[in-house]
Amino acid sequence: MKAVIMAGGKGTRLRPLTSNTPKPMVPLLDRPVMEYTIALLKKHGITDIAVTVQFIPEAIRNYFDDGSDFGVRLHYFEEQSPLGTAGSVKNAEQFLDETFVVISGDALTDFDLTRAIEYHREKSSVATLVLTQVDSPLEFGVVMTDENGLINRFLEKPSWGEVFSDTVNTGIYILETEVFQYSEKNQEFDFSKDLFPMLMKNNRPMYGYVADGYWSDIGNLNQYRQTQFDMLDGKVAIELPGHEIAPGVWVGERVKIDPTASIIGPAYIGERSVIGKQAMIGEYSIIGGGSMILDHASVERTVLWKHNMLDNNVEINGATLCRNVICRYGASIREDAVLGDNCVVGIHSVVASGVKMFPNKSVEDNAVLKHSLIWGEQAAKTIFGQFGVKGACNVHMTTSFVNRLSMALSTALPPGVTVGIGYDSAPFAELMAEAFTSGLHASGIHTYHFGAVTSSIARYAACHLDCAAGIYVRMTEEDGEEQAVIEFLDEKGLPITKAMERKVENAYVQEDQRIIKLSEVGRKRTCPEVGRLYRRDLLEAVDTQLIASRSYKVVTVYNGHNLNHVLPEFLQELGCRVIQLNSVVTEPAELAHWVRDNGADFGVMLDTNGQRIQLVTEQGELISDELTHMLQMRIQLQASKDDVIQVPVHFPEIAELMVAQSNRKVARTKADTRSILESCQQGGFHVYLDGIYTLVRSMEMMAFMGATLSELVQTIPAFALLKEKVDCPWSEKGKVMRFLMQETKGKHVELIDGIKIFHDEGWTLILPDHEKPIFQVYANAQSQLAAKQLAASYADKIRKYRSS
């Protein structure tokens, strides 16, 4: 049998390790990771191997040559332009004239390939995917199979709501040559996005083999270090280089260790290295060949590549250093710092935690480097959360970070387009918006400035003006900490898609930026009238005279800084008599007392940005969030003329009844912010996240029906919907979802977003939270007691599966 090693990866998330080195050549215990892949193939009798290369291909060719030194035969196939995973293998089609194995050259595994190949043949499979179970499946392709192993669902890089299992695609495949007929040569073609969906569509047998053993994708800098610690701990079945001179201490040939030096295993010291007097090599230290650790220097939980020099009294803890790095007398490198090739750290200088130095950089003597060279502060695995990008003010959310983020967005947009910019009334939000603007202008993108507006107005303006995208910056408080949120909008005023988020994230990580001529610098235009545009169009959409004729008496509580220029003018034009309690009332229960005691028609409390609304009836009754959603759905039904009404998956079952009463049908959607807003969009208005729109439309319905707010609410059918939060560490979420999927076999299940299980008495929805280590459990039933029992039952299951 033949094999293909895919070795074209750039490894951008591993920079600066991969600035000068292709990812397959990144060393694990002094050997390129691809060398372990070759050894695994050889172990299972596969010695005729194609290698697909693209990024710095000569580094791979020069090291492995024809493979004879490693007991195999290597045949190189170079991509002149990116062809995708399957496209690069197609490039080697003439060589691959029989069943073959595809394996990554930049991952470490000890899987039993012989057993996987036997399984492939037993199943008469066209494509067999080797699978494994991981703690966090978000960065991989989640694969679901039936009881016979036949693949029935494949999700590439899912959101948490789509993680129905912790069993993922490892990128190891056993394939028949039939797969080549589905693509053309020299065309971009991907296994996960293109080939596998085609095989499923054509009902070709495609199976998943769940392998036992170790697998590490080495997808980020922390995982890179951890993989080597796992090797030292014996978690992966490989032959460690060198020989063991003490328990857990492995050294190469001709290593010189001073008798006064201290070495604590597990540790590895490469050939020809020198360890000086009273030097301390702590546990989980990897010292690359030819390195010099001089007197009194100390190293712990650190990876050094070859030919590093640590002068006397240097201290390194939890860092990674590439080749030829020099740390002069008394220098200190702190945890999670990463130094590229040929860097120099001066005498008594400090490289702070998390700092990255790209190749050929230096730190002067007696300096403290707190910021990365060249790029900045955040090296998060993922930048985007549920509502956009969020961070602590002046900690994560800094002008330099925001400026770089704006340049990343610019690479995903055509030059010369316009981006709308809005922010709330906080000075820091305006500062971040200006920092974002400068990055856009430097990349040849023009801007419309909406000024201090609400997010609803910013969405509306982005939809109605000639904007290719929109940005809205607002402040929020979480756990007592002031944070800034940057919302990214598309040309329709909706949150950008997950695909667009990944583009921006990748551009951010790869430090991409567009180089422009001076004449192409972006220009700024102010658009101070967007608030009036929003108010005019909303008032034109309702019967203002009918509302004004009722002369509603309203008690209001809202953030004056953000909403004073919006809400009072609405209420005035609608003929409302207003009691404003912005500085008097803070809790809905207090508002209820004021409504009842003053004989008001209703009360309204808006959150800081005017998105979430809390209504109080004339009787002083608080309307729950769930009931408010049903009221908003009535508004959606009234405003929309569509035959199919989109309803979020976590809304109660009465949604179907309410839609059916208007002779229309329901299509359930995901519960993420984009899907919710997309489901209710009406000409740039979004009822589910726009408290002012909800308020105006509710008044119109009340006026039209001649009803009070309590009477309007009573027209909504009774329902019971309970929501419960269950703590669950990130590392356990995938496992819990897998157990839940196994437990629900044979039941009526819906997998739109999370796992929705239908029962005789209702349904339960288990939805992993996107930003927090929790599960949201929704239970909908005919009574509160039944809903409570359903929610409690599945909350208990989650806790049990966590501890199993």
Side-chain angles (χ1 to χ4, degrees), residues 340-361:
D341 295 343
N342 308 311
C343 285
V344 178
V345 181
I347 295 170
H348 287 302
S349 290
V350 176
V351 178
S353 298
V355 165
K356 291 195 287 186
M357 292 177 63
F358 277 58
N360 308 307
K361 305 301 172 193

Side-chain angles (χ1 to χ4, degrees), residues 2-160:
K2 296 179 179 179
V4 181
I5 296 177
M6 302 187 67
K10 291 183 179 181
T12 53
R13 290 185 180 272
L14 288 179
R15 289 180 181 173
L17 305 188
T18 51
S19 294
N20 300 328
T21 304
K23 190 180 175 186
M25 295 301 296
V26 167
L28 301 177
L29 302 189
D30 249 6
R31 294 181 179 177
V33 58
M34 183 172 145
E35 188 172 334
Y36 295 97
T37 303
I38 290 174
L40 179 68
L41 291 171
K42 181 184 174 186
K43 176 182 176 181
H44 291 278
I46 303 171
T47 57
D48 215 7
I49 303 168
V51 182
T52 64
V53 293
Q54 184 192 13
F55 179 63
I56 319 180
E58 62 275 9
I60 297 173
R61 285 197 183 97
N62 292 343
Y63 185 89
F64 292 105
D65 197 31
D66 63 0
S68 56
D69 290 346
F70 303 89
V72 298
R73 295 180 299 278
L74 299 181
H75 311 265
Y76 296 95
F77 297 87
E78 184 174 348
E79 298 173 63
Q80 299 305 315
S81 60
L83 296 174
T85 51
S88 65
V89 173
K90 175 82 172 181
N91 213 21
E93 181 177 2
Q94 283 190 318
F95 169 76
L96 300 168
D97 53 3
E98 59 184 30
T99 305
F100 60 96
V101 175
V102 174
I103 190 168
S104 173
D106 53 22
L108 181 70
T109 184
D110 59 7
F111 288 161
D112 187 341
L113 298 182
T114 299
R115 180 66 196 104
I117 293 166
E118 290 171 352
Y119 179 90
H120 173 82
R121 288 171 171 156
E122 288 167 7
K123 296 292 187 180
S124 299
S125 179
V126 170
T128 297
L129 281 62
V130 178
L131 312 177
T132 193
Q133 290 166 350
V134 298
D135 290 340
S136 180
L138 294 185
E139 293 301 307
F140 310 105
V142 170
V143 179
M144 297 174 62
T145 65
D146 65 14
E147 59 274 11
N148 296 315
L150 188 69
I151 293 173
N152 53 30
R153 189 160 186 176
F154 188 97
L155 292 163
E156 181 67 10
K157 293 189 177 178
S159 64
W160 268 117

Side-chain angles (χ1 to χ4, degrees), residues 555-631:
V555 183
T556 63
V557 180
Y558 57 87
N559 182 299
H561 294 295
N562 284 333
L563 298 174
N564 263 345
H565 62 291
V566 183
L567 186 58
E569 291 185 22
F570 265 109
L571 297 176
Q572 182 180 356
E573 292 197 41
L574 293 172
C576 295
R577 295 168 292 151
V578 179
I579 301 174
Q580 189 185 90
L581 301 176
N582 292 350
S583 59
V584 179
V585 168
T586 57
E587 296 296 328
E590 296 177 85
L591 173 62
H593 283 298
W594 276 85
V595 171
R596 193 170 49 245
D597 293 347
N598 285 275
D601 292 294
F602 58 89
V604 58
M605 178 178 282
L606 295 169
D607 70 358
T608 302
N609 200 239
Q611 295 197 101
R612 181 178 175 273
I613 187 170
Q614 171 78 69
L615 290 169
V616 176
T617 71
E618 76 284 357
Q619 298 172 358
E621 296 172 342
L622 300 177
I623 298 179
S624 67
D625 289 345
E626 293 76 19
L627 197 52
T628 300
H629 289 156
M630 293 299 96
L631 177 61

